[in-house]
Amino acid sequence: MTTTHLLFVCLGNICRSPSAENIMNHLIQQRQLGDRMVCDSAGTASYHVGSAPDRRMAQAARAQGIELVGRARQFEAIDLDRFDYVLAMDRQNYRDILALDSRGQHRDKVRLMCDFCRRHPDQEVPDPYYGGPEGFAYVIDLLQDACEGLIDHVLDHPVATPQ
Ligand code: 4NP
């Protein structure tokens, strides 16, 4: 059995990437795929390390039946060795992740989360931090779309790095 390790990455690891991680875990549980996929999340910045998910984000997730759990941690270069897919929420996150791939050997496993959307035309998951509640609700809807597409993609392209 191949277990694919997925890492979701945003800036602070308190809004978008913990939502992606928890939505994905919800789908994995629903579809009984826990032996096929394992998820984590991280932020490129250190400001919120150790913090719980943002309350506004948690409220928007709860409205869709998803509880946000976890604590923020910072993305580090070794994550590129440990994970099979590294999903960046926006292009700045993508650039910051690849800046730690000094030899360019992990380039192919770093992807933009919205590449997996099937219902939304967006290319990036917008940062909801400084906006209103509708921004948080939109992020949840967008991530549900991307996570559904991502699950199907991983089932078609399973990869596993020796842990
Ligand atoms: P996230 O959102 O990257 O989706 O976790 C943000 C969280 C915090 C900040 C910006 C974005 N901040 O500037 O503190």
Side-chain angles (χ1 to χ4, degrees), residues 2-6 36-37 84-85 108-109 111 116 149-161:
T2 302
T3 303
T4 301
H5 290 74
L6 307 162
R36 307 281 288 276
M37 296 175 211
D84 305 300
Y85 284 85
D108 292 349
K109 64 168 80 167
R111 301 284 304 269
F116 299 96
L150 179 60
I151 279 215
D152 289 344
H153 177 88
V154 173
L155 288 174
D156 286 345
H157 307 84
V159 268
T161 306

Side-chain angles (χ1 to χ4, degrees), residues 10-18 47-48 93 127-130:
C10 61
L11 176 66
N13 193 211
I14 54 167
C15 294
R16 293 165 293 174
S17 62
Y47 343 116
H48 297 284
N93 306 147
D127 180 350
Y129 194 71
Y130 292 107

Side-chain angles (χ1 to χ4, degrees), residues 10-11 15-16 20 27 52 66 77 97 111 113-114 120 124 131 133 140 143 157 162-163:
C10 61
L11 176 66
C15 294
R16 293 165 293 174
L27 293 174
I66 315 274
I97 293 163
R111 301 284 304 269
M113 187 65 180
C114 284
H120 294 80
E124 302 182 285
I140 296 296
L143 288 174
H157 307 84
Q163 297 293 306

Side-chain angles (χ1 to χ4, degrees), residues 52 75 103 114 131:
F75 178 78
R103 287 186 288 156
C114 284

